[in-house]
């Protein structure tokens, strides 16, 4: 998308609509010709931040594992004859690094194949909550009036019901959970959080000078909303959505652990942990490896979110 | 102040009604017959089913049933579950247990979290700060059910230094479960305190206080921390409700007969009245906690007044 320089106010209060563009103030003097936006500043900061680099590498690796699990293991956990009961609870060996579970299935292969479900739940839920929260937050924040009151009151009701509780209710009633239903339910319960952040952010940004400047220059309501307010209001939403990716992955594992999330024969780390926990003392490997993958995945997304927040919010430096 | 409290209480009414309607619809609209659930695997006797359905108003439209229920609740009658047991009795047995658990967890996260956050903020970038940052990151990313199981088995079973499960005679058996329950929030509180303290330590009034010659501890506690408390108190208020709701997993792991376990069972047995009542009380706790938080703002920051 092109940079918009026609409405420059002071030093570049112009949203640079890159992939997720937007500008607050360019105070960097080293490249005077370039419009330094909040996002390009943030990008520069991120590339120097080891927390970001570590989490980005981890997430990239997890995405590759999720997309092509076959690259990392020769076994197919969904194939017939994959599990051999004679291998039941065999601890890790040189050929089978993570050992076997009660059913005699190779834990390494299962853990690798479990990545996909976790990533799908995290991404799907996070994308859905962000989309719904952003759209409603934009509308409520910009329009105000009865619509704002209505949606805000509605979210208050939603907020009063803890996610874990609501999820338990719906999932237990439905009986059979899978990746999609778990994501949908968490999204239905989770969007008010993003709505609140977006609404607050939009209302703050609405009052900024560059919005008035854009309006003075004759920009229409739609253009101001999409090109000026949206990119600037998006920062806190992106931070929370990224952190939420990890939170939702953890929540899915919790639901699966309780037996109401992803159901066997589908693979979920939460389910694997629940299967192995009875023998934790005699065979810790059954719990250890899925827990490790789960924790690292959650950790990676939370670290990414925090790195992005540090880059976008210079106040904290 | 009094008027503010009354206005807030009035505002709570639609939230409470909305939440109960929502939960009521969820419980009774989703598939699953509660009377059949009573009979278990075998087919329920049609005559008995008919009598029970009549008795529990199951043949009436949903809004009418909700009306029966909510008018009962407003007069202090939570109704009975499908086995005829008063829901109020079930709740009076289980709520205190969860309340104890949540209170200990709350104390753990508030005390340890704030202290660790303050020290982390003061020694910013130093060794202790990095230890706190790293450990909180780990606490957030290890799921509660993993942490709970591992601690229970390692501390309780292997090393035998902590109780494995709950004993109603001995409140200390709740400490380990409370720590597990508090773990994720503890990490959030610590980080929130750290950020908030770092911001206030840079404020002008803190410099003034130091310049006045006040002792460092007084500057930190009375000037910086008090001002840094607002976001922390906000989080703590919201978290009290979340702790009680989040006790489902912790109570399962440590076999604690609290509200979480009861709720889990009630959901499975389609005991709609029990489920709705428990959730209603949890929502009440949430609303009350938020009101207290809003009132605490004025205590922490006298500039905040309530009209």
């Amino acid at each position: 998308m092109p940079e918009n320089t026609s409405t420059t106010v002071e030093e570049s209060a112009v949203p640079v609509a890159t992939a997720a563009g937007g500008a607050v103030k360019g105070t960097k003097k080293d490249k005077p010709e370039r419009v330094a936006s909040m996002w390009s500043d943030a990008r520069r900061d991120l590339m120097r931040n080891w927390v970001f680099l570590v989490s980005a590498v981890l997430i990239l690796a997890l995405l590759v594992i999720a997309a092509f699990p076959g690259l990392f293991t020769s076994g197919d956990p969904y194939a017939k004859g994959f599990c051999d009961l004679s291998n039941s609870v065999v601890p890790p060996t040189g050929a089978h690094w993570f050992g076997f579970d009660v059913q005699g299935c190779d834990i390494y292969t299962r853990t690798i194949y479990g990545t996909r479900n976790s990533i799908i739940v995290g991404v799907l839920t996070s994308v859905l909550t962000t989309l719904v929260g952003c759209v409603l937050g934009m509308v409520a924040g910009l329009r105000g009036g009865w619509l704002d009151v209505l949606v805000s009151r509605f979210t208050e009701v939603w907020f009063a019901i803890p996610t874990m509780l609501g999820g338990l209710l719906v999932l237990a009633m439905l009986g059979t959970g899978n990746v999609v239903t778990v994501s949908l339910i968490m999204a239905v319960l989770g969007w008010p959080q993003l709505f609140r952040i977006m609404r607050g952010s939009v209302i703050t940004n609405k009052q900024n000078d560059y919005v008035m400047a854009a309006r003075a220059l004759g920009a229409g309501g739609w253009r101001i909303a999409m090109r000026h307010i949206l990119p600037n209001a998006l920062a806190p939403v992106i931070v929370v959505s990224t952190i939420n990716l990890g939170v939702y992955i953890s929540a899915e594992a919790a639901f699966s652990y309780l037996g109401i999330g992803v159901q066997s024969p589908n693979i979920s780390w939460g389910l694997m942990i629940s299967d192995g926990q009875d023998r934790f003392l005699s065979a810790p490997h059954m719990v250890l490896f899925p827990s490790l993958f789960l924790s690292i995945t959650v950790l990676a997304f939370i670290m990414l979110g925090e790195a992005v927040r540090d880059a976008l919010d210079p106040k904290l430096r | 102040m009094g008027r503010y409290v009354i206005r807030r209480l009035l505002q709570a009414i639609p939230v409470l009604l909305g939440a109960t309607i929502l939960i009521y619809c969820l419980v009774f609209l989703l598939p699953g017959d509660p009377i059949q659930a009573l009979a278990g695997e075998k087919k329920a006797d049609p005559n008995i089913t008919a009598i029970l359905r009549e008795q529990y108003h199951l043949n009436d439209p949903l809004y009418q049933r909700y009306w029966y229920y909510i008018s009962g609740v407003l007069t202090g009658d939570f109704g009975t579950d499908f086995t005829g047991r008063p829901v109020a009795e079930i709740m009076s047995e289980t709520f205190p247990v969860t309340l104890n658990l949540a209170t200990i967890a709350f104390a753990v996260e508030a005390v340890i979290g704030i202290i660790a956050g303050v020290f982390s903020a003061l020694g910013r970038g130093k060794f202790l700060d990095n230890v706190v940052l790293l450990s909180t990151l780990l606490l957030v990313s290890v799921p509660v059910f993993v942490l709970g199981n591992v601690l229970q088995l390692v501390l309780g079973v292997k090393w035998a230094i902590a109780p494995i499960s709950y004993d109603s005679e001995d409140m200390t058996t709740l400490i380990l479960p409370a720590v597990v329950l508090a773990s994720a929030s503890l990490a959030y509180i610590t980080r929130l305190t750290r950020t908030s303290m770092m911001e206030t330590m840079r404020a002008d009034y803190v410099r003034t206080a130091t310049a006045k010659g006040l002792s460092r501890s007084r500057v930190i506690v009375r000037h910086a921390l008090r001002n840094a408390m607002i976001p922390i108190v906000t989080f703590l208020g919201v978290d009290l409700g979340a702790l009680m709701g989040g006790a489902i997993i912790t109570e399962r792991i440590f076999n604690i007969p609290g509200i979480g376990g009861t709720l889990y069972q009630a959901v499975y047995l389609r005991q709609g009245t029990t489920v709705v009542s428990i959730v209603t009380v949890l929502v009440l706790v949430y609303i009350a906690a938020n009101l207290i938080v809003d009132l605490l703002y004025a205590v922490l920051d006298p500039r905040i007044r309530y009209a």
Side-chain angles (χ1 to χ4, degrees):
Chain A
M1 276 176 267
E3 291 190 3
N4 177 1
T5 45
S6 61
T7 54
T8 307
V9 180
E10 285 179 296
E11 256 179 296
S12 104
V14 181
V16 180
T18 50
V24 172
K25 264 211 174 117
T27 45
K28 294 266 153 63
K29 297 287 183 214
D30 45 356
K31 285 179 189 166
E33 281 88 31
R34 272 255 182 104
V35 181
S37 72
M38 171 173 74
W39 296 96
S40 65
D41 271 2
R43 203 164 34 234
R44 189 140 19 110
D45 279 339
L46 283 178
M47 294 319 285
R48 283 191 303 229
N49 185 350
W50 68 268
V51 175
F52 171 77
L53 295 174
V54 168
S55 57
V57 168
L58 274 175
I59 288 168
L60 213 63
L62 286 164
L63 287 178
V64 174
I65 292 176
F68 311 106
L71 289 179
F72 298 87
T73 169
S74 53
D76 176 5
Y78 297 110
K80 244 188 177 153
F82 170 71
C83 305
D84 183 356
L85 270 177
S86 63
N87 286 330
S88 182
V89 207
V90 169
T93 60
H96 298 276
W97 292 353
F98 292 3
F100 293 90
D101 66 8
V102 180
Q103 302 292 327
C105 312
D106 180 45
I107 291 178
Y108 173 75
T109 309
R110 279 174 62 86
T111 309
I112 288 289
Y113 271 84
T115 314
R116 182 180 291 175
N117 282 344
S118 282
I119 297 283
I120 290 177
V121 169
V123 173
L124 193 60
T125 315
S126 219
V127 166
L128 285 175
T129 49
T130 312
L131 274 181
V132 177
C134 278
V135 171
L136 288 177
M138 275 288 275
V139 174
L142 288 175
R143 277 278 171 82
W146 63 269
L147 195 78
D148 183 25
V149 173
L150 190 76
V151 186
S152 296
R153 286 285 160 283
F154 191 64
T155 56
E156 251 166 57
V157 173
W158 232 242
F159 252 95
I161 304 168
T163 309
M164 203 62 218
L165 226 148
L168 171 78
L169 272 180
V170 185
L171 284 168
M173 295 282 171
L174 289 177
T176 52
N178 61 45
V179 172
V180 178
T181 52
V182 172
S183 309
L184 282 177
I185 288 160
M186 288 200 296
V188 168
L189 293 165
W191 66 268
Q193 183 197 17
L194 277 307
F195 164 80
R196 269 196 190 181
I197 296 169
M198 189 66 185
R199 176 178 170 273
S201 183
V202 165
I203 289 176
T204 326
N205 274 289
K206 200 166 72 167
Q207 293 153 351
N208 281 351
D209 288 342
Y210 62 81
V211 173
M212 202 189 291
R215 188 166 294 135
L217 285 163
W222 176 255
R223 187 182 172 86
I224 289 176
M226 298 314 284
R227 294 292 291 272
H228 298 266
I229 294 178
L230 180 66
N232 286 297
L234 219 50
V237 174
I238 286 176
V239 170
V240 174
S241 302
T242 316
I243 293 179
N244 273 351
L245 263 163
V247 174
Y248 288 133
I249 289 175
S250 185
E252 178 274 316
F255 285 130
S256 300
Y257 171 83
L258 286 175
I260 50 178
V262 174
Q263 305 286 321
S264 186
N266 291 312
I267 300 170
S268 154
W269 292 332
L271 211 55
M272 292 175 73
I273 294 166
S274 150
D275 288 343
Q277 62 166 327
D278 292 340
R279 297 171 192 239
F280 178 74
L281 285 182
S282 56
H285 66 272
M286 288 197 296
V287 170
L288 183 69
F289 292 108
S291 302
L292 208 62
F293 262 68
L294 177 59
S295 301
I296 288 175
T297 311
V298 177
L299 185 74
F301 283 110
I302 290 178
M303 273 165 63
L304 183 73
E306 294 196 336
V308 172
R309 184 188 56 206
D310 288 348
L312 288 176
D313 189 357
K315 247 194 339 197
L316 296 174
R317 248 176 262 140
Chain B
M1 174 86 172
R3 280 181 59 188
Y4 177 78
V5 173
I6 291 170
R7 210 178 68 216
R8 281 296 307 266
L9 287 176
L10 288 177
Q11 278 175 353
I13 293 173
V15 174
L16 192 64
L17 280 181
T20 46
I21 290 175
L22 203 71
I23 298 289
Y24 204 86
C25 293
L26 271 183
V27 171
F28 286 102
L29 283 181
L30 286 171
D33 182 357
I35 304 298
Q36 177 58 44
L38 276 182
E41 292 292 308
K42 61 175 188 286
K43 194 91 189 71
D45 184 327
N47 292 325
I48 296 172
T49 308
I51 295 168
L52 282 173
R53 287 191 75 86
E54 193 56 46
Q55 190 186 338
Y56 289 102
H57 307 296
L58 285 178
N59 298 323
D60 295 342
L62 195 69
Y63 65 89
Q64 211 168 349
R65 276 155 57 195
Y66 177 75
W67 175 249
Y68 288 138
Y69 173 74
I70 200 73
S71 48
V73 168
L74 290 176
T75 54
D77 176 17
F78 281 97
T80 58
D81 71 3
F82 291 118
T83 59
R85 202 165 160 225
V87 173
E89 185 189 302
I90 301 175
M91 291 204 292
S92 67
E93 274 171 21
T94 51
F95 244 105
V97 180
T98 303
L99 201 61
N100 284 338
L101 178 69
T103 312
I104 301 175
F106 190 74
V108 166
E109 67 177 56
V111 173
I112 301 180
I114 292 175
I115 292 176
V118 168
F119 278 105
S120 177
L122 294 178
R124 189 179 170 203
K126 292 191 188 140
F127 177 71
L128 185 71
D129 185 27
N130 286 326
V131 169
V132 167
L133 278 183
L134 202 69
S135 51
T136 50
L137 208 51
L138 287 178
L139 267 188
V140 177
S141 39
V142 177
V144 172
F145 54 96
V146 173
L147 188 72
N149 273 311
V150 170
L151 285 185
Q152 182 190 38
L153 290 166
V154 172
L155 296 182
V157 179
K158 208 163 192 177
W159 297 346
I161 53 172
I164 302 165
S165 68
Y166 173 69
D167 176 1
S168 59
E169 303 291 308
D170 183 6
M171 286 284 286
T172 55
T173 51
L174 281 179
I175 293 176
L176 183 63
V179 170
V180 171
L181 179 60
S183 60
S185 304
L186 172 64
Y188 279 117
I189 293 278
T190 311
R191 303 192 132 217
L192 202 59
T193 311
R194 179 178 175 273
T195 327
S196 191
M197 269 301 274
M198 272 169 17
E199 248 169 75
T200 47
M201 284 303 279
R202 260 181 296 179
D204 290 340
Y205 52 79
V206 169
R207 196 182 308 127
T208 312
T210 316
K212 258 190 338 191
L214 293 183
S215 70
R216 187 165 161 77
S217 60
R218 197 176 165 83
V219 171
I220 290 168
V221 175
R222 295 295 292 274
H223 292 256
L225 184 59
R226 183 167 166 184
N227 279 288
M229 280 300 280
I230 287 196
I232 304 165
V233 165
T234 311
F235 182 87
L236 281 171
V238 177
D239 203 45
L240 188 63
L243 281 179
M244 299 197 65
I248 298 169
I249 292 180
T250 319
E251 287 180 359
R252 249 171 86 88
I253 296 172
F254 290 96
N255 211 1
I256 299 168
I259 216 74
T262 314
L263 188 67
Y264 190 79
Q265 265 182 352
V267 168
Y268 265 95
L269 295 173
R270 302 283 187 273
Q271 296 285 13
T273 338
T274 316
V275 175
V276 181
S277 302
I278 291 176
V279 177
T280 308
V281 177
L282 285 178
V283 172
L284 268 177
V285 171
Y286 171 86
I287 291 172
N290 275 320
L291 179 63
I292 294 169
V293 163
D294 280 348
L295 295 177
L296 271 179
Y297 287 158
V299 176
L300 290 169
D301 187 346
R303 285 171 302 185
I304 299 175
R305 281 177 206 286
Y306 300 109

